[in-house]
Amino acid sequence: MLLGFFLFYLLFNISRYISVAILTFHVLSFFVSRRQTIAVVDGQGGGIGSIIVKRLREEFGDAIEILALGTNATATSAMMKSRADKGATGENAIVLNSNRVDMIIGTLSIVLPNAMLGEMTPKMAEAIILSGAQKMLLPLNQEGIEVMGITREPLPHLIENIVEKIKER
């Protein structure tokens, strides 16, 4: 009788520990296997955004999800041709997705209201700057804003700096 109770108690507890271990494994797998989502935001012709997307895809392959967010269809299309996973265009797309990604990459202009000849609306800039996503901004803009303490580097060097920062994460 006592041996039967002991075996029942032992099996009951072992099954509980196994259930907890399985649940823990599934929860950890979800977070470990989840791909990081990076939004690349660009406007006008999408030239800088497409270079960023291309370089990220070369370096990380399918390990990351790249979301191309263009202020216009031409910019989104250029980034999609560089192998972004998904693309969306316009104010609502940028406002909606800014809080759904892990990281936002673009030029300094993407946080400046009315930048890019007015393509970057105040709502877009506000959504990006208030997003909880990490932001990596290239110190390039057409608005006459100069960030002190920044040395001028060619665009390929700046993009390599972004790639290295992502690797450090």
Side-chain angles (χ1 to χ4, degrees), residues 3 5 29 37 46 53 66 74 77 80-83 85 87 89 98 102 115 117 119 122 126 130 135 138 152 162:
L3 181 61
F5 178 76
S29 313
T37 303
V53 169
I66 301 173
T74 303
S77 176
M80 290 302 295
K81 287 178 184 170
S82 294
R83 298 186 47 225
D85 293 294
T89 302
S98 290
D102 300 302
L117 302 175
E119 286 187 19
E126 181 181 11
L130 294 178
K135 293 153 225 36
L138 300 169
R152 295 184 78 102
I162 287 175

Side-chain angles (χ1 to χ4, degrees), residues 48-125:
I48 293 174
S50 64
I51 294 170
I52 294 169
V53 169
K54 183 178 178 187
R55 183 65 188 104
L56 291 175
R57 186 60 70 208
E58 286 172 355
E59 188 67 33
F60 300 106
D62 291 332
I64 60 172
E65 180 177 21
I66 301 173
L67 175 60
L69 296 175
T71 59
N72 62 62
T74 303
T76 305
S77 176
M79 291 188 283
M80 290 302 295
K81 287 178 184 170
S82 294
R83 298 186 47 225
D85 293 294
K86 298 175 187 169
T89 302
E91 183 178 85
N92 194 55
I94 292 174
V95 169
L96 180 70
N97 289 296
S98 290
N99 260 331
R100 293 180 170 180
V101 297
D102 300 302
M103 182 182 296
I104 300 172
I105 299 174
T107 64
L108 178 64
S109 296
I110 67 172
V111 294
L112 300 174
N114 301 314
M116 298 181 190
L117 302 175
E119 286 187 19
M120 185 57 62
T121 69
K123 280 186 179 180
M124 292 176 183

Side-chain angles (χ1 to χ4, degrees), residues 2 13 20 32 35 38 73 79 82 95 102 114 127:
L2 187 59
N13 282 327
V20 169
V32 170
R35 288 192 315 166
I38 297 175
M79 291 188 283
S82 294
V95 169
D102 300 302
N114 301 314

